[in-house]
Amino acid sequence: MCCSSRSGSASKSLWRELHLTEPTSLLWRRRIAFRDALRCRADHRSRYEQLKRDLAQAHGADLMAYARNKDDFVNEVLGVRDKTEAPSVSVPQRP
């Protein structure tokens, strides 16, 4: 998703990505667990921030390489071996 805006005579593009996942799916459980881990640990947050900066500089516009190279860190934080595993998380109840 892209939103463009003009600021003075310079043009800016603001990019936002929206990821939709099925609640309780493996991907959803990994994302929620990773989010929660980052919220709880300042050391994880700072390491992840630096990793993202390093990968952005190293991979530029190659988003697949950027994402792929975050996997080991995400797995380490989650305490799992690979992308086929996820810790258990609380499932929201439907109203």
Side-chain angles (χ1 to χ4, degrees):
M1 177 183 325
C2 173
C3 303
S4 296
S5 65
R6 290 211 176 264
S7 175
S9 61
S11 177
K12 287 184 178 180
S13 290
L14 303 174
W15 289 91
R16 302 290 185 260
E17 289 186 20
L18 176 64
H19 298 269
L20 302 175
T21 59
E22 183 67 31
T24 73
S25 70
L26 175 67
L27 179 59
W28 180 84
R29 291 192 322 267
R30 285 179 59 85
R31 288 183 174 166
I32 295 300
F34 187 66
R35 178 204 66 190
D36 292 348
L38 291 179
R39 286 179 175 175
C40 292
R41 299 265 312 260
D43 59 325
H44 286 333
R45 287 192 304 273
S46 62
R47 286 179 54 212
Y48 188 54
E49 178 184 9
Q50 188 59 53
L51 174 64
K52 289 176 60 132
R53 290 177 191 277
D54 293 345
L55 293 176
Q57 186 170 16
H59 297 291
D62 186 351
L63 296 179
M64 294 303 288
Y66 170 84
R68 189 174 47 252
N69 283 280
K70 292 190 301 179
D71 288 345
D72 287 342
F73 178 78
V74 172
N75 291 334
E76 175 190 333
V77 168
L78 295 179
V80 298
R81 290 178 304 200
D82 58 41
K83 291 176 86 166
T84 65
E85 299 178 336
S88 60
V89 295
S90 299
V91 178
Q93 299 298 315
R94 292 184 178 242

